[in-house]
Amino acid sequence: MTHDVKEIFAGTTGGAPPAPAALAAKVRTLAPSMTRSMQRVAEAVAGDPAGCAALTVTGLAELTGTSEATVVRTARVLGYPGYRDLRLALAGLAAQQQSGRAPAVTADIAVDDPIADVVAKLAYDEQQTLADTAAALDTVQLGAAVTALAAARRVDVYGVGASGLVAQDLTQKLLRIGLIAHAHSDPHLAVTNAVQLRAKDVAIAITHSGSTGDVIEPLRVAFERGATTVAVTGRPDGPVTQYADHILTTSTARESELRPAAMSSRTSQLLVVDCLFVGVAQRTYETAAPALSASYEALAHRHRNTPR
């Protein structure tokens, strides 16, 4: 199966335009996959929502050095039926920004920053990443993934590097509520395990770039074997989505010399897998609750103070 950006952000939500608060998050997430002319439009509306809300489609095209058709296409990629709907969202976003919120901490971390400034900047970036991910997360897709996981015979999760740590985190949580789950960071083991998957099994690929071959390959095998497949990715147009039944999009803060993309992508990925876990625990509460209690009891003695 194939997906394009428009289908992912418009079709999966039944055509409902995103709320104003989600606009800036979608611009940050989708801009890397847009054409340069569309990027200029997206960056303009995110940078000056009040000013752009006052412009006609012709005015915005002239401001960004593009065409009216490009402006309309950009609005649709962002999830709006047309430019009129985008203008309404821009007006709403401008109103929110003028409501007296504290100014954002936007500067990158410098080599000579005091540690207090490092803490403040990292905290702000983490908060923004989580807010952006929550705003852009398609709850229809999330719900479908939860449904598949709750009924799964077996769950395989693929991830390498920082994404591999997130894969391990998810499988440990699922194991504690009674699901059979395995995390795979070795590409050979991932593929050989994926070959064994069938219908009613679930395979999850975690890749910020959406183009990690060691993750895409086992997901492709699982997809071809009939398993339900899920992609957790920062690039909803990336190659991994070709083999995903459900796509869960993550966001990241700006990358800088002292803050690589893996740091903020891990934060947003952890939010998504926590949402998956809680959703599954809710759906399977009658079996999940006793399993979780049993796992706590089995480990309780390790947390007690014992004489040496």
Side-chain angles (χ1 to χ4, degrees):
M1 70 189 289
T2 59
H3 308 272
D4 61 29
V5 174
K6 186 175 176 181
E7 288 172 339
I8 293 165
F9 282 95
T12 57
T13 57
L23 174 59
K26 283 203 168 177
V27 169
R28 281 188 284 269
T29 299
L30 291 173
S33 63
M34 293 178 178
T35 64
R36 186 64 195 106
S37 59
M38 292 174 69
Q39 284 178 356
R40 290 201 297 271
V41 176
E43 291 165 359
V45 299
D48 184 15
C52 292
L55 296 175
T56 64
V57 64
T58 303
L60 184 55
E62 291 176 352
L63 175 70
T64 56
T66 60
S67 65
E68 294 180 10
T70 298
V71 171
V72 173
R73 281 197 300 270
T74 305
R76 289 176 177 168
V77 165
L78 291 174
Y80 301 92
Y83 181 61
R84 177 179 176 277
D85 303 274
L86 174 59
R87 285 184 72 181
L88 290 173
L90 291 174
L93 181 58
Q96 290 177 357
Q97 291 179 340
Q98 294 169 4
S99 63
R101 293 184 306 176
V105 180
T106 58
D108 289 333
I109 297 172
V111 174
D112 57 352
D113 271 348
I115 193 65
D117 288 355
V118 172
V119 171
K121 290 179 180 181
L122 283 175
Y124 171 78
D125 281 345
E126 298 288 327
Q127 292 167 5
Q128 189 64 58
T129 296
L130 291 172
D132 286 356
T133 299
L137 191 58
D138 188 328
T139 54
V140 174
Q141 293 284 296
L142 178 63
V146 165
T147 298
L149 284 168
R153 178 187 71 97
R154 166 179 159 182
V155 180
D156 277 13
V157 190
Y158 315 123
V160 297
S163 296
L165 299 176
V166 178
Q168 291 179 32
D169 180 81
L170 176 58
T171 56
Q172 289 175 14
K173 288 184 170 75
L174 295 178
L175 284 168
R176 294 189 72 171
I177 57 172
L179 273 69
I180 299 174
H182 307 277
H184 300 288
S185 58
D186 182 292
H188 293 166
L189 286 175
V191 171
T192 55
N193 277 271
V195 169
Q196 307 303 322
L197 298 182
R198 300 290 185 271
K200 295 227 32 158
D201 295 331
V202 175
I204 302 175
I206 303 176
T207 164
H208 170 62
S209 69
S211 57
T212 307
D214 288 344
V215 170
I216 294 173
E217 180 65 11
L219 192 73
R220 179 188 64 78
V221 173
F223 180 82
E224 292 173 350
R225 294 283 169 164
T228 298
T229 53
V230 180
V232 178
T233 179
R235 293 294 299 271
D237 61 332
V240 71
T241 61
Q242 297 177 49
Y243 308 108
D245 296 309
H246 309 296
I247 302 166
L248 304 177
T249 306
T250 57
S251 180
T252 61
R254 293 172 302 149
E255 185 174 2
S256 64
E257 182 181 12
L258 295 178
R259 181 179 172 79
M263 289 176 63
S264 55
S265 66
R266 183 196 61 220
T267 299
S268 56
Q269 289 168 353
L270 286 170
L271 172 61
V272 172
V273 301
D274 280 353
C275 290
L276 287 170
F277 166 73
V278 172
V280 173
Q282 289 177 317
R283 298 284 182 91
T284 62
Y285 185 77
E286 290 186 1
T287 56
L292 195 58
S293 295
S295 69
Y296 279 131
E297 291 174 7
L299 296 173
H301 70 282
R302 295 182 176 274
H303 302 292
R304 297 191 189 104
N305 291 323
T306 56
R308 299 195 176 194

